Amino acid sequence: MSINVLNSNGKVTAEHLKKTAYLYIRQSTLRQVFENTESTQRQYALRQRAVVLGWPTERIEIIDCDQGQSGASTGEREGFQKLVAEVGLGKAGIVMGLEVSRLARNCADWHRLLEICALSGTLILDEDGLYDPAHFNDRLLLGLKGTMSEAELHVLKARLRGGILSKAQRGELKMPLPVGLVYDPLQRIVLDPDKQVRNTLRHFFETFRRTGAGWATVQAFAKEGLKFPRHGQAGSGQLIWEPLRHSKALDTLHNPRYAGAFCFGKSRTWKDPQGRWHCVNLPREQWAILIKDAHPGYISWEEFEENQKRLQHNQQARAIERQSGPPREGPALLQGLVICGKCGRRMTLRYHQRGGRLSPDYVCQKQCVEECRPLCQNVPGGVVDDALSALIVDSISPLALEVALNVQQQLQERLAEADRLRRQVVERAQYEAEQARIRYMRSPTTGWSPTRWRRSGTISFDNWNKRTRSTKNNAKTPSGQSPKSRRLKSWS
């Protein structure tokens, strides 16, 4: 291409040639960087255009540090920020880009760059031609190109979003599943074929059904020495067994997938002017899609809703709105249940040492804490608890014996379930140890030569030892006893 064609109407002057020519190169994603190599070569080829226009090679600067960054904003594009700064300082004679979308896909950023170029007398060059933002016609054309570039990004997002919503409305959108649910060969959601995982999750929901609190469920798992599964590194298919944490328990209880429901649009994300992403969870009424009984689950939808009500009921941050709270530590009989008869607020507990034992006091101190007013009232808890205990004892009938036997049977069943889960842990460890031993013995590099064993079989041998030690450790209960040695004492 000749200089006369490029330098139409004499837009490039000697004043422009004294300044630096900047070539801006960008690809939106790292995948495009590795796969769309032809586009990258076309962008670097624009350097020859500047040479044809008269810029010496040493005065052409290439800015390509924004590879893999989106052009929708300037928050994380250090190269674009540097380019705008150089133009504003009057150091740039021309700015080159393969097309407008390489420089910016945001009209605000694009028009800001045009304004600075017009004030500093900087030219703009793309694959179609050479423009001077100080001229009205050129600036109008560049503005239209920037608007079309931003509209193109909007259309692409709308098409992708529409396809995702279409599949989500049918419940066919493939999404990451929580532990305990997997896709079968026909891409249907089924329960995990691992029996230990299924039994652990069923035991988890049964424990919460019995205790009524997430923290109590975590305590029960710790007391029984049970571990909870979680996914390993994404794509590895590995399961990691670890002690149950309170956050994991709450995530499991709040996840509607365990109730067999498909949901989409539970949260809303946005990006602030600084380029930081924010995410907020939406109430269930604002979820985009909710399909009940879409796939098998571990609990019913009715039980899931009951669990949500119970968790909300137990939240300590909503103490004023709660009618009653979960049982907590301490000997007080009415903890979380007493309401002040004067103001109607919930009363809290204070413990004191009286007669060598803890004695509770029921205190209404909400006004004292928030408004610096005197205590509403302070009721000695010992008197109230003694009266309540006497009332309970007087109401006991011969039917209490049958109730006690039923409770003993339930405790026996709980211990048997915990022992069964621990046996499955031991069986899994034994299986992995056996597989490690077989791999070690069958390894082609592992022979009976001591030298070869030291050189090639060390890794397999260490893995075998590791699995064997894991089997021995899992064969013990938390108290260091065999499960068969523990027996529940009969009630006297």
Side-chain angles (χ1 to χ4, degrees):
M1 185 175 294
S2 64
I3 297 179
N4 294 331
V5 175
L6 279 174
N7 190 11
S8 59
N9 299 327
K11 293 180 180 178
V12 179
T13 64
E15 190 67 24
H16 291 120
L17 296 176
K18 293 179 182 179
K19 301 179 183 180
T20 305
Y22 288 91
L23 173 58
Y24 184 77
I25 297 174
R26 182 186 65 83
Q27 293 279 20
S28 298
T29 63
L30 290 177
R31 183 175 180 179
Q32 292 180 1
V33 174
F34 289 104
E35 295 183 359
N36 299 353
T37 57
E38 186 64 28
S39 174
T40 304
Q41 293 177 4
R42 291 173 60 200
Q43 295 185 62
Y44 278 104
L46 286 178
R47 182 179 182 181
Q48 188 61 29
R49 297 280 189 93
V51 175
V52 174
L53 286 172
W55 268 273
T57 306
E58 63 274 8
R59 209 175 297 160
I60 301 175
E61 183 174 344
I62 298 177
I63 300 177
D64 56 0
C65 58
D66 288 342
Q67 296 280 31
Q69 299 291 341
S70 173
S73 66
T74 62
E76 299 178 356
R77 291 199 291 158
E78 297 180 359
F80 184 80
Q81 296 175 10
K82 175 184 176 182
L83 175 64
V84 174
E86 295 295 326
V87 173
L89 293 174
K91 297 181 180 180
I94 188 171
V95 173
M96 298 177 290
L98 184 63
E99 55 190 21
V100 171
S101 61
R102 298 303 95 194
L103 289 165
R105 279 192 178 272
N106 183 295
C107 282
D109 298 333
W110 175 241
H111 284 282
R112 189 178 299 114
L113 177 61
L114 292 183
E115 182 70 24
I116 297 174
C117 288
L119 294 175
S120 61
T122 303
L123 302 177
I124 294 180
L125 181 142
D126 63 6
E127 196 176 31
D128 296 330
L130 181 64
Y131 312 94
D132 187 355
H135 294 173
F136 174 77
N137 290 334
D138 288 354
R139 188 167 179 175
L140 178 62
L141 179 58
L142 290 173
L144 290 175
K145 284 192 172 185
T147 303
M148 293 175 62
S149 176
E150 185 176 17
E152 180 185 14
L153 184 62
H154 171 74
V155 171
L156 291 175
K157 288 184 177 180
R159 289 176 179 174
L160 293 174
R161 179 72 176 177
I164 291 175
L165 287 176
S166 179
K167 295 193 70 173
Q169 289 172 354
R170 302 192 304 269
E172 299 176 359
L173 182 63
K174 191 171 181 179
M175 303 173 63
L177 297 176
V179 64
L181 297 173
V182 297
Y183 288 101
D184 65 2
L186 299 178
Q187 301 303 312
R188 297 175 302 186
I189 300 176
V190 296
L191 301 184
D192 197 312
D194 192 323
K195 187 177 181 181
Q196 183 183 356
V197 175
R198 296 198 309 270
N199 291 339
T200 301
L201 282 168
R202 290 193 179 102
H203 183 69
F204 170 83
F205 287 108
E206 176 62 30
T207 303
F208 179 79
R209 194 180 303 119
R210 184 180 74 248
T211 60
W215 185 252
T217 304
V218 176
Q219 288 180 322
F221 265 65
K223 184 178 180 180
E224 296 171 352
L226 301 178
K227 294 184 178 181
F228 200 81
R230 70 172 178 86
H231 289 302
Q233 186 177 3
S236 64
Q238 180 185 11
L239 275 180
I240 299 177
W241 294 83
E242 60 185 11
L244 179 62
R245 292 182 172 85
H246 187 237
S247 59
K248 182 65 176 179
L250 292 181
D251 290 342
T252 304
L253 292 169
H254 285 302
N255 197 331
R257 302 305 295 259
Y258 289 110
F262 175 87
C263 53
F264 180 80
K266 297 192 301 179
S267 60
R268 182 173 65 90
T269 58
W270 72 94
K271 202 173 186 179
D272 61 15
Q274 287 73 32
R276 295 189 296 265
W277 285 98
H278 301 270
C279 180
V280 60
N281 293 326
L282 301 176
R284 189 187 306 171
E285 297 76 17
Q286 299 181 16
W287 290 1
I289 297 172
L290 175 61
I291 304 176
K292 302 176 183 178
D293 300 325
H295 56 79
Y298 289 88
I299 57 176
S300 63
W301 180 256
E302 291 74 17
E303 183 176 352
F304 173 77
E305 290 186 322
E306 182 65 27
N307 292 344
Q308 304 312 300
K309 294 179 181 178
R310 185 176 299 180
L311 290 172
Q312 185 178 6
H313 200 61
N314 295 344
Q315 287 181 2
Q316 295 301 305
R318 301 167 63 93
I320 298 179
E321 303 176 10
R322 289 187 287 114
Q323 298 298 320
S324 63
R328 305 190 67 82
E329 65 279 355
L333 298 179
L334 298 177
Q335 49 182 320
L337 298 174
V338 180
I339 296 177
C340 180
K342 292 184 177 181
C343 64
R345 291 184 172 90
R346 186 156 308 284
M347 302 182 72
T348 58
L349 282 170
R350 288 181 181 175
Y351 287 101
H352 305 277
Q353 288 285 345
R354 294 176 182 172
R357 64 174 186 173
L358 286 177
S359 178
D361 287 345
Y362 298 102
V363 183
C364 181
Q365 57 179 355
K366 191 68 176 179
Q367 294 179 351
C368 177
V369 173
E370 295 187 353
E371 304 176 11
C372 297
R373 297 170 58 182
L375 290 175
C376 184
Q377 64 173 330
N378 186 350
V379 180
V383 178
V384 177
D385 288 355
D386 291 342
L388 181 62
S389 300
L391 180 63
I392 294 175
V393 171
D394 293 340
S395 63
I396 292 179
S397 65
L399 295 177
L401 180 60
E402 182 180 355
V403 174
L405 293 176
N406 291 334
V407 171
Q408 182 183 13
Q409 183 179 0
Q410 292 179 4
L411 293 177
Q412 292 281 11
E413 293 176 354
R414 295 176 194 172
L415 288 177
E417 176 67 16
D419 288 342
R420 184 169 64 87
L421 292 175
R422 275 191 291 270
R423 284 196 300 270
Q424 290 181 351
V425 174
V426 175
E427 291 173 0
R428 175 186 289 271
Q430 290 175 344
Y431 173 78
E432 292 177 350
E434 179 64 18
Q435 292 298 312
R437 185 190 69 82
I438 294 175
R439 286 193 295 269
Y440 169 72
M441 299 301 294
R442 293 180 178 179
S443 175
T445 60
T446 304
W448 297 107
S449 172
T451 303
R452 182 179 298 176
W453 172 79
R454 285 195 299 268
R455 184 176 66 251
S456 304
T458 305
I459 297 178
S460 298
F461 189 73
D462 291 342
N463 188 30
W464 182 9
N465 285 338
K466 179 181 177 181
R467 300 299 183 183
T468 304
R469 285 193 299 268
S470 176
T471 303
K472 294 180 180 179
N473 293 333
N474 290 326
K476 296 182 179 181
T477 63
S479 60
Q481 299 176 347
S482 172
K484 295 183 179 180
S485 64
R486 296 188 300 108
R487 293 293 185 269
L488 183 66
K489 294 183 179 180
S490 301
W491 289 20
S492 59

